[in-house]
Amino acid sequence: IRDKEIVEERLEWIEEKLKDLYWFDAECFRIYYRESHSLNSMAKATKISRATIYKAINNAKKYLINER
């Protein structure tokens, strides 16, 4: 049960921090992690290049790491 609480706390923290990011980067990150999409499936579904999606997710990751 404690592990589940820790995961929920982290997810809440991430959601709060994502509010400070550019909307596209934050949304790509949410879809990639929350909905377990791959870069390829996201690119295929949205018609946005895989490279653009990768950059957005990477920007979000870097931001979250620096905010720790």
Side-chain angles (χ1 to χ4, degrees), residues 17-57:
K17 293 297 178 183
L18 288 178
K19 291 177 183 176
D20 297 332
L21 272 178
Y22 177 61
W23 71 270
F24 183 79
D25 293 355
E27 199 57 33
C28 284
F29 185 85
R30 281 185 191 101
I31 293 168
Y32 184 73
Y33 282 100
R34 289 256 175 168
E35 299 180 25
S36 301
H37 274 277
S38 68
L39 292 175
N40 288 334
S41 69
M42 288 175 67
K44 189 180 274 188
T46 63
K47 307 291 189 253
I48 297 170
S49 77
R50 187 180 183 281
T52 299
I53 294 170
Y54 172 80
K55 284 181 191 176
I57 292 168

Side-chain angles (χ1 to χ4, degrees), residues 13 17-18 20 60-68:
W13 180 85
K17 293 297 178 183
L18 288 178
D20 297 332
K61 284 181 185 179
K62 286 179 183 177
Y63 176 76
L64 293 171
I65 288 169
N66 289 331
E67 287 294 307
R68 281 187 186 173

